Amino acid sequence: MSFLKTKESGEAQVDFDRLPRHVAIIMDGNGRWAKRRGLPRTAGHAAGAETFRSIATYCQKIGLEYLTVYAFSTENWKRPLEEVSAIVGLLKKYLLESIEKMEKDKIKLHFFGDLEPLPQELKDMCRKTSEISERYEGMQVNVCFNYGGRDEIVRAARHFAADCAAGGRKPKELTEVLFSEYLCSNGVPDPDLVIRPSGEVRISNFLLWQSAYAEFYFTDVLWPDFSKEELHRALAAYQGRSRRFGGV
């Protein structure tokens, strides 16, 4: 087996042959990171985007199958227009680069959330990256943009109700497995580990359905400072837990 000891603790270690299949991350702390440095919040989001790129690349390197990140929530539209515009601009920049690199890196890119409010150009780019992703096998990165767990569940319920009204389904057919097929994450295993940087200890409307039995790891490190060493600590903490899923 392949092990790695973390620098901070001689006891903690990561077994790379026993990684979780799916890690989800709430990318939080960009604004506070910038404020501490006397920079505009937009600079924090730019730094956070680079951290995302670095962590996603590293997750692929160590063999993670799925990575889901919380990039922009349904509530984030309340933020100042300049900040929202900067985040949308970073998404466009990342997509332009990803479309060029996806064939080489073999990283599949999908989006969770309601993309309708986005500019048409961005919606087209999101669709194009999803189409490219279908061509090959590789680690899948899911970017939650204009996403909210409650909104996802409500939209899934509406879709199921519409199918019932159209005669394609019957209410009594509904099970947890069937309902999951109406979610953004259809076909993706539930996250094994949810990581939240920045010192906040809450889920913030992220993957509410899918995280029912996920393990959580919280750290005071702000997202732009999140490193592979911090990821190692999260993975080591996860591997040290006993997952019983309601059993004994």
Side-chain angles (χ1 to χ4, degrees), residues 174-248:
L174 187 61
T175 63
E176 290 185 11
V177 173
L178 177 58
F179 189 74
S180 294
E181 295 178 5
Y182 286 84
L183 298 173
C184 299
S185 56
N186 180 29
V188 176
D190 289 343
D192 302 294
L193 171 64
V194 177
I195 300 171
R196 179 158 193 169
S198 85
E200 302 293 352
V201 188
R202 57 177 176 269
I203 196 169
S204 294
N205 204 16
F206 181 52
L207 300 179
L208 296 181
W209 177 277
Q210 298 88 340
S211 297
Y213 279 101
E215 299 295 324
F216 285 82
Y217 178 84
F218 298 98
T219 173
D220 290 334
V221 174
L222 300 176
W223 175 245
D225 291 328
F226 194 90
S227 62
K228 66 179 183 180
E229 288 78 19
E230 190 64 38
L231 178 63
H232 292 162
R233 287 191 281 275
L235 293 172
Y238 167 82
Q239 291 179 345
R241 300 176 189 174
S242 175
R243 305 187 72 199
R244 296 182 296 276
F245 300 95
V248 177

Side-chain angles (χ1 to χ4, degrees), residues 18-239:
R18 199 165 53 88
L19 292 173
R21 292 188 68 195
H22 184 178
V23 172
I25 303 177
I26 300 174
M27 301 189 296
D28 191 26
N30 294 340
R32 277 166 284 171
W33 182 91
K35 184 177 180 180
R36 290 178 184 179
R37 289 161 176 76
L39 300 171
R41 290 176 62 87
T42 52
H45 292 301
E50 289 305 312
T51 298
F52 165 56
R53 187 194 314 277
S54 173
I55 292 298
T57 301
Y58 184 68
C59 285
Q60 180 201 32
K61 179 180 178 181
I62 63 177
L64 198 69
E65 292 183 55
Y66 297 91
L67 173 68
T68 299
V69 296
Y70 205 5
F72 191 85
S73 76
T74 49
E75 292 75 34
N76 286 158
W77 295 106
K78 302 173 186 176
R79 295 186 177 186
L81 179 61
E82 179 185 7
E83 184 174 347
V84 171
S85 297
I87 294 172
V88 172
L90 285 169
L91 174 62
K92 179 180 178 180
K93 178 177 181 291
Y94 181 77
L95 286 175
L96 285 170
E97 295 172 354
S98 295
I99 289 172
E100 295 179 0
K101 296 177 62 180
M102 285 174 75
E103 294 285 4
K104 176 174 69 71
D105 294 342
K106 297 295 185 291
I107 294 180
K108 303 172 71 170
L109 187 63
H110 290 279
F111 292 88
F112 292 177
D114 180 9
L115 302 182
E116 274 308 306
L118 296 181
Q120 188 60 48
E121 180 185 17
L122 267 182
K123 287 191 287 189
D124 291 342
M125 292 171 70
C126 290
R127 185 181 66 251
K128 184 175 181 179
T129 56
S130 294
E131 290 173 353
I132 293 174
S133 294
E134 298 307 316
R135 300 177 189 170
Y136 48 76
E137 298 295 327
M139 183 182 80
Q140 179 169 320
V141 176
N142 307 304
V143 177
C144 295
F145 203 92
N146 193 30
Y147 172 89
R150 289 182 174 181
D151 178 69
E152 178 187 28
I153 292 170
V154 168
R155 288 193 294 121
R158 287 174 178 164
H159 290 159
F160 177 74
D163 283 350
C164 289
R169 293 285 186 187
K170 295 180 180 179
K172 65 180 181 180
E173 296 175 351
L174 187 61
T175 63
E176 290 185 11
V177 173
L178 177 58
F179 189 74
S180 294
E181 295 178 5
Y182 286 84
L183 298 173
C184 299
S185 56
N186 180 29
V188 176
D190 289 343
D192 302 294
L193 171 64
V194 177
I195 300 171
R196 179 158 193 169
S198 85
E200 302 293 352
V201 188
R202 57 177 176 269
I203 196 169
S204 294
N205 204 16
F206 181 52
L207 300 179
L208 296 181
W209 177 277
Q210 298 88 340
S211 297
Y213 279 101
E215 299 295 324
F216 285 82
Y217 178 84
F218 298 98
T219 173
D220 290 334
V221 174
L222 300 176
W223 175 245
D225 291 328
F226 194 90
S227 62
K228 66 179 183 180
E229 288 78 19
E230 190 64 38
L231 178 63
H232 292 162
R233 287 191 281 275
L235 293 172
Y238 167 82
Q239 291 179 345

